[in-house]
Amino acid sequence: MSIFTRDFNRNSSYWTAIAFYLVCGLLLLLLPNLALSIANVALAVLLCAVGVRCIVSYLRGSILDGVMGLQLAAGLVALCFALLLLFNPLFLAELLPFVWGVALLVGGFGKVQMAADLKRIGDRFWWYALLAALLSFVLGALAITRPVFIAAVLTQFVGASLLIEGVLDLVSFLTLNKRIKKFRKEMENNSRL
């Protein structure tokens, strides 16, 4: 049980990312306007909080820390972006194809490492993770290079992409964990000999 707890704690951020992809994907696919409104307000509030924190940190900090840091500038930039999101709700919709495209590309690179890890420990289905990485790359490149096309079906595309990404991550993660458990068992059996 301690191995399970240790593995779950070590991988909890991965589970969180998978859950985030699946929930956001479903929201964007089924309730796109609501999802964009929620995301817009949530991001604006987050940026306001970060901006105020940076500004307060600048004002309360020492003169030397203020001169050597960028807290005031970062705080003002965050507040400006927050106001932009609040007064221009379409800004997020215009920015999403690029942001999600980059996120899909980053996810693809993660799957490339998973494929390499699976191959290194001898899993014969390592290429599934590599195919998943290629699909992530294609979806990410499409989101970045075809923003006009994406704008027409923005939220549904992002929702479907996130669902696909979440499912691919889940399958890759479960496959890797299964193979690691088998590898550990083989290592324990070999150490007993």
Side-chain angles (χ1 to χ4, degrees):
M1 186 67 167
S2 67
I3 290 175
F4 173 77
T5 305
R6 185 183 67 219
D7 286 347
F8 182 79
N9 288 338
R10 187 183 71 227
N11 297 320
S12 63
S13 63
Y14 204 78
W15 284 109
T16 303
I18 290 171
F20 174 79
Y21 282 156
L22 294 174
V23 169
C24 288
L26 280 173
L27 274 175
L28 287 168
L29 197 57
L30 300 176
L31 303 167
N33 292 334
L34 176 64
L36 278 178
S37 295
I38 291 170
N40 198 55
V41 171
L43 188 56
V45 168
L46 178 68
L47 286 172
C48 276
V50 168
V52 168
R53 184 181 182 284
C54 286
I55 292 169
V56 168
S57 174
Y58 172 79
L59 294 173
R60 295 179 108 184
S62 71
I63 294 174
L64 186 58
D65 286 340
V67 170
M68 300 300 289
L70 296 172
Q71 292 95 351
L72 181 61
L76 292 172
V77 168
L79 284 177
C80 285
F81 274 113
L83 291 174
L84 178 66
L85 287 172
L86 287 175
F87 293 112
N88 183 7
L90 294 178
F91 179 74
L92 188 59
E94 294 166 358
L95 186 65
L96 270 179
F98 179 77
V99 171
W100 291 124
V102 170
L104 287 168
L105 291 176
V106 169
F109 288 119
K111 283 184 215 39
V112 167
Q113 179 169 341
M114 270 190 211
D117 291 343
L118 285 168
K119 185 170 183 176
R120 288 178 78 186
I121 62 174
D123 190 280
R124 62 185 178 144
F125 297 110
W126 62 271
W127 55 275
Y128 285 163
L130 191 59
L131 287 176
L134 291 174
L135 183 57
S136 292
F137 290 142
V138 168
L139 291 172
L142 182 62
I144 290 172
T145 60
R146 300 281 187 203
V148 174
F149 166 74
I150 299 304
V153 289
L154 172 70
T155 53
Q156 287 81 13
F157 174 81
V158 171
S161 298
L162 284 174
L163 278 175
I164 290 169
E165 184 75 7
V167 169
L168 293 174
D169 281 354
L170 182 63
V171 169
S172 298
F173 184 67
L174 292 175
T175 302
L176 182 62
N177 275 347
K178 183 179 175 182
R179 184 60 180 125
I180 286 172
K181 285 177 187 176
K182 184 178 177 184
F183 187 71
R184 277 186 186 154
K185 194 173 189 178
E186 290 172 2
M187 294 298 288
E188 288 173 6
N189 290 341
N190 288 340
S191 67
R192 290 182 191 151
L193 296 176

